[in-house]
């Protein structure tokens, strides 16, 4: 179940059941729509006030454990364990374009609309701008556009936003979480 709780009291407002586990953190659109993925291979859009479904995506071939990101135009970006990264129309769940990724993770969106999910994509067209050979699945973007991400070698990378080249690397034993920027 995905639950909505009253922040002040913890009282349940609504619950929505899927046919699989939910490892995807929900994202909330500007209009209050709640988007998330499920192990049942679907992406869901729910009315944030009532929990009623607005749409359910076509079934992907594998679970959708990645957390979505929402572009300024309402496009929902999410990855799946089928090795695909998708841009969905936030109004109806239609697939706008598909890219490649490994596993899961949360995309990061640059101020110019570039989507970073292991690789860099033009958010509107899906054209791959650069390939992130050493890049993991969780990223954060600094005020200067630098992309901070974990590498497949479990270190922290700082990448140039236009080329994906490494600015610096901080080796770590196991960097598996998403970086945060103060």
């Amino acid at each position: 179940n995905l639950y909505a709780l009253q922040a002040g009291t913890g009282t349940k407002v609504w619950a929505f059941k899927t046919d699989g586990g939910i490892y995807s953190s929900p994202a909330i659109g500007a209009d209050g729509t709640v988007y998330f993925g499920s192990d049942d291979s679907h992406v869901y859009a729910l009315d944030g006030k009532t929990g009623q479904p607005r749409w359910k995506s076509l079934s992907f071939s594998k679970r959708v454990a990645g957390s979505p990101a929402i572009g300024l135009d309402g496009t929902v970006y999410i990855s799946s364990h089928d090795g695909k990264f998708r841009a969905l129309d936030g109004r109806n769940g239609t697939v706008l374009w598909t890219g490649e990724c490994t596993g899961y993770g949360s995309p990061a969106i640059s101020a110019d609309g570039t989507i970073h999910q292991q690789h860099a994509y033009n958010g509107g067209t899906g054209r791959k701008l650069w390939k992130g050979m050493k890049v993991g699945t969780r990223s954060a973007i600094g005020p200067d556009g630098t992309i901070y991400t974990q590498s497949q070698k479990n270190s922290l990378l700082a990448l140039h936003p236009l080329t994906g080249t490494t600015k610096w690397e901080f080796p770590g034993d196991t960097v598996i979480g998403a970086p945060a920027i103060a």
Side-chain angles (χ1 to χ4, degrees):
N1 287 305
L2 182 73
Y3 294 97
L5 305 176
Q6 178 56 250
T9 64
T11 304
K12 181 173 75 172
V13 177
W14 54 258
F16 182 82
K17 182 168 180 51
T18 70
D19 291 329
I22 300 170
Y23 295 93
S24 172
S25 296
I28 301 172
D31 65 353
T33 301
V34 178
Y35 302 95
F36 67 98
S38 172
D39 276 2
D40 67 4
S41 303
H42 295 284
V43 176
Y44 292 88
L46 308 179
D47 181 290
K49 290 182 181 175
T50 66
Q52 292 300 306
R54 291 193 171 164
W55 54 259
K56 174 173 126 177
S57 70
L58 295 175
S59 180
F60 298 150
S61 62
K62 295 199 177 184
R63 67 188 220 159
V64 183
S67 298
I70 304 169
L72 292 176
D73 65 354
T75 300
V76 177
Y77 302 96
I78 194 163
S79 59
S80 169
H81 276 267
D82 63 2
K84 303 291 183 195
F85 175 71
R86 293 173 178 85
L88 305 176
D89 186 320
R91 297 168 298 182
N92 55 32
T94 302
V95 176
L96 302 173
W97 56 263
T98 302
E100 61 181 305
C101 70
T102 303
Y104 60 95
S106 302
I109 304 174
S110 295
D112 67 358
T114 300
I115 310 303
H116 301 278
Q117 173 61 8
Q118 292 182 315
H119 311 297
Y121 294 97
N122 176 299
T125 66
R127 182 175 66 87
K128 190 184 293 184
L129 304 174
W130 49 263
K131 186 172 183 171
M133 298 296 288
K134 300 185 283 184
V135 179
T137 58
R138 298 172 185 101
S139 302
I141 300 173
D144 66 350
T146 299
I147 301 146
Y148 300 94
T149 188
Q150 99 263 19
S151 77
Q152 293 173 345
K153 298 186 314 185
N154 294 325
S155 60
L156 180 67
L157 296 174
L159 305 177
H160 189 283
L162 298 178
T163 64
T165 56
T166 301
K167 288 182 168 186
W168 53 261
E169 182 172 359
F170 180 81
D173 291 334
T174 305
V175 177
I176 57 174
I181 299 170

